[in-house]
Amino acid sequence: MRVDLVSEAQHESLVDLLCELHAYYNDGAEVARELVREHLTANLLAPGSFQRLVVAQDESGTVIGLAAISLVYSLVDFSPDQRRHCQLKELYVRSSHRSHGAGRALMAWVARYATRHGCARIDWPVRASNLRGIAFYESLGAKRVIERLGYRLSEPGLSQLAGCAEHDETLQSSKSQA
């Protein structure tokens, strides 16, 4: 098994994995490969993207796992040895390759990358229902962050809040001009 940043030669195999990932999160729903390919090249791997995609490949060159990471700075811890950390957005291994070391190899690669770039920690979300994933993370020595909860704002609330913000900006602008 080989783990490294994704190369152009791995894009098609990565598209296959991303289609499986989509089905995992969307109750088996399928997605058009062309849509996934376009998103991969135009967004995830775009020159300005802060995200790095790390892949594990088997002996045949097939992508069997993925870690999506970015390096970020803390807004609350300013000490040089604590201010930078690695954010793991996603860790996914093909269902047919789980429990064979790909997840551990990906996490070890991410840990080396994080330490080489001055990170003090790696943070990531996990579905509360993903008991197998939670057990895996804890087997690596990761600790659950009890004091954090995840939130999501999506449609229609997203547009409603954005509309309120535009309305507030218009009011502020008209008050300052008066």
Side-chain angles (χ1 to χ4, degrees):
M1 177 182 336
R2 183 170 171 264
V3 177
D4 208 345
L5 292 171
V6 67
S7 69
E8 191 170 339
Q10 296 168 316
H11 287 188
E12 286 308 306
S13 184
L14 180 55
V15 167
D16 292 337
L17 181 77
L18 291 172
C19 288
E20 182 179 319
L21 176 68
H22 175 81
Y24 173 78
Y25 279 109
N26 295 285
D27 297 322
E30 293 185 15
V31 63
R33 287 182 53 77
E34 189 52 42
L35 182 62
V36 174
R37 184 181 301 107
E38 185 273 330
H39 179 57
L40 176 66
T41 57
N43 299 307
L44 300 175
L45 298 175
S49 176
F50 292 106
Q51 207 158 57
R52 300 292 174 258
L53 300 183
V54 182
V55 296
Q57 70 177 23
D58 65 11
E59 306 76 39
S60 70
T62 301
V63 174
I64 60 169
L66 159 77
I69 60 172
S70 57
L71 302 180
V72 297
Y73 287 99
S74 174
L75 293 169
V76 297
D77 195 339
F78 308 109
S79 60
D81 62 335
Q82 295 294 314
R83 66 177 77 156
R84 195 164 200 199
H85 70 272
C86 180
Q87 184 67 40
L88 176 67
K89 171 64 177 134
E90 190 68 55
L91 177 72
Y92 186 79
V93 174
R94 283 185 191 277
S95 58
S96 59
H97 287 77
R98 292 186 188 140
S99 299
H100 298 297
R104 184 172 288 278
L106 282 161
M107 289 298 288
W109 191 100
V110 170
R112 285 190 299 275
Y113 184 84
T115 57
R116 278 197 308 267
H117 287 87
C119 296
R121 68 180 196 258
I122 303 170
D123 290 324
W124 64 92
V126 62
R127 279 183 167 182
S129 63
N130 186 355
L131 300 180
R132 187 173 176 184
I134 291 167
F136 167 70
Y137 295 136
E138 290 177 357
S139 79
L140 299 176
K143 304 292 182 219
R144 188 178 295 191
V145 180
I146 302 298
E147 65 272 9
R148 297 257 178 192
L149 295 174
Y151 284 88
R152 177 176 294 149
L153 180 63
S154 54
E155 294 300 343
L158 179 62
S159 291
Q160 289 170 348
L161 182 59
C164 288
E166 289 175 10
H167 178 71
D168 292 346
E169 290 170 10
T170 303
L171 282 177
Q172 290 290 36
S173 177
S174 62
K175 285 181 182 177
S176 65
Q177 293 173 1

